[in-house]
Amino acid sequence: MTDDKSARGEDEALKARLEKLSAALDATKQAPTRRFAEAASNDASGQGSAMNLGFRVLTEFVAGVIAGCLIGYLLDLWLGTSPVALIVFIFLGTATGFWNVYRIAMKPTGR
């Protein structure tokens, strides 16, 4: 009778172990599908944030150049100097645009 109880106990332990291994195997089979779905969602959000950053860099650079052109043109009109202030402020606006892009690029990312 003791042998019968110990055999039943071993059978139950083996069944529990088999169920645990089956559950782990099922989870492993589903993991690639889950990882693929997570990767797809990460790529979509990563692509959106990359586009956001690209548009921001473009805007910062173009705004610096346009502001420099506008200031130079208005100074030329006010001072009566032909293209001198325009040329100087185009270069200053371009340098400002590059500086803004550099500052954006040197910011640490959130990851």
Side-chain angles (χ1 to χ4, degrees):
M1 196 142 207
T2 331
D3 291 334
D4 192 32
K5 285 184 180 179
S6 66
R8 264 193 250 156
E10 287 178 16
D11 284 346
E12 289 176 12
L14 286 174
K15 282 183 183 180
R17 186 172 170 203
L18 181 61
E19 288 175 8
K20 183 179 175 184
L21 287 173
S22 294
L25 184 60
D26 289 340
T28 304
K29 284 181 182 177
Q30 292 175 357
T33 307
R34 212 175 312 130
R35 269 188 269 142
F36 179 74
E38 289 172 3
S41 68
N42 287 342
D43 287 346
S45 65
Q47 183 180 10
S49 65
M51 286 183 67
N52 183 21
L53 182 63
F55 283 128
R56 181 171 174 216
V57 165
L58 178 69
T59 303
E60 291 279 345
F61 182 73
V62 170
V65 174
I66 289 175
C69 289
L70 186 62
I71 292 170
Y73 178 75
L74 292 175
L75 279 175
D76 276 338
L77 285 178
W78 186 53
L79 297 174
T81 58
S82 185
V84 176
L86 178 64
I87 292 171
V88 168
F89 278 92
I90 283 176
F91 286 121
L92 286 175
T94 304
T96 302
F98 278 120
W99 178 252
N100 287 338
V101 169
Y102 174 77
R103 281 188 347 198
I104 293 169
M106 297 316 295
K107 276 186 184 173
T109 58
R111 297 179 183 191

